[in-house]
DNA sequence: TATTGTTATACTCTATAACTATA
DNA sequence: TATAGTTATAGAGTATAACAATA
């Protein structure tokens, strides 16, 4: 059964392919409690220790309001520290704990297995092409809403 | 600010690109109440009048339980008919109403504008490549959970 | 005035388990 | 036994509006 109209829509295929990744991610890492959003936040903190929530949100397109519970979750699990920033008393400086570093490394290893499983049919060149194409979509500004 | 680890992960880019499509879809069609899932269901019914819920769910990877409220929503809006199937008294035959045909056509026109806006930087060949690569991911079987 | 973090809230998507009626 | 549709429920992602403290 083929649905020609849907088959031609990139948005439809992005949704389906993203869904396959989500299911496989959950089955591969779900037991550890790691989720895609949490891993992306850990990854940003690992690359930029001392960064604050707002900067992470802007980097990952996560809204401020939604960052709060995500950061709380990582703090509660002992994966990150949340300390007063030295130069801005509104901001909180985020760093990985020892446990956070371990969780980050272990998750990354499992994610590589997960990616290799789903991308088994794609050559290295095709994976690079796919990422390059997706990045050009990410760079697009969505339609602005009127006031 | 670049995060090399995330940048190499296809799953990360699928999530981000899918997010851009979702935001732009909502802004382009949100006022009409049309959403990606609903449009995909309308599209399947348009291509296969008389199809039942279970078949749509299998075609689109939507679980039976979640089909119920989606179909209810389309019926309540007057976009589809839900009639007793002639050959299986458990099943319900779904067809588009006049209004459903109109909503489908109008939505498709707007979706084309939305896709063209987000894919403005991609040539026709690149769009075809992207869809072909995504379809090969969709074909992968996610990891099976143990019993 | 603008920004950081926060609370409250709502909607959507997705997942599982269990039920009924038919096949 | 298996399938079609349903109900109930829960977790997760994402959206907006408004607030206090600080820049």
């Amino acid at each position: 059964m083929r649905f020609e109209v849907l088959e031609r829509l990139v948005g439809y295929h992005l949704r389906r392919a993203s869904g396959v990744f989500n299911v496989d991610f959950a089955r591969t890492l779900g037991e550890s409690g790691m989720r895609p959003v949490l891993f992306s936040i850990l990854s940003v903190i690992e690359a930029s220790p001392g960064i604050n929530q707002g900067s992470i949100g802007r980097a990952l397109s996560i809204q401020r309001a939604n960052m709060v519970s995500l950061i709380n979750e990582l703090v509660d699990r002992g994966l990150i520290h949340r300390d007063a920033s030295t130069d801005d008393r509104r901001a909180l400086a985020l760093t990985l704990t020892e446990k956070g570093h371990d969780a980050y490394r272990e998750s990354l290893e499992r994610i590589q297995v997960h990616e290799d499983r789903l991308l088994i049919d794609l050559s290295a060149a095709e994976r690079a092409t796919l990422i390059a194409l997706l990045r050009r979509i990410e760079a697009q500004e969505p339609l602005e809403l009127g006031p």
Side-chain angles (χ1 to χ4, degrees), chain A residues 62-121:
Chain A
I62 303 171
Q63 307 206 28
R64 275 201 318 286
N66 296 326
M67 285 296 301
V68 180
S69 62
L70 295 168
I71 293 296
N72 283 341
E73 193 175 343
L74 292 172
V75 171
D76 292 346
R77 287 204 220 166
L79 301 184
I80 64 175
H81 280 304
R82 177 167 42 188
D83 304 302
S85 173
T86 54
D87 46 304
D88 185 338
R89 290 190 312 184
R90 294 170 303 182
L92 298 171
L94 304 173
T95 49
L96 296 191
T97 61
E98 276 295 312
K99 194 174 167 189
H101 278 288
D102 292 347
Y104 172 72
R105 279 189 291 263
E106 283 179 29
S107 297
L108 182 53
E109 281 179 27
R110 295 189 195 186
I111 288 172
Q112 300 287 10
V113 173
H114 141 78
E115 291 241 332
D116 286 341
R117 175 169 47 239
L118 295 182
L119 300 173
I120 188 83
D121 284 352

Side-chain angles (χ1 to χ4, degrees), chain A residues 13-65:
Chain A
H13 290 288
L14 282 174
R15 228 164 59 82
R16 295 294 303 264
S18 203
V20 170
F21 263 80
N22 285 337
V23 169
D24 195 82
F25 189 105
R27 291 185 184 174
T28 309
L29 291 96
E31 206 174 310
S32 71
M34 189 56 65
R35 306 195 302 277
V37 195
L38 297 181
F39 178 79
S40 67
I41 294 174
L42 286 185
S43 173
V44 171
I45 299 175
E46 199 266 348
S48 303
I51 195 172
N52 64 34
Q53 295 183 194
S55 301
I56 298 174
R58 280 187 293 274
L60 298 175
S61 295
I62 303 171
Q63 307 206 28
R64 275 201 318 286

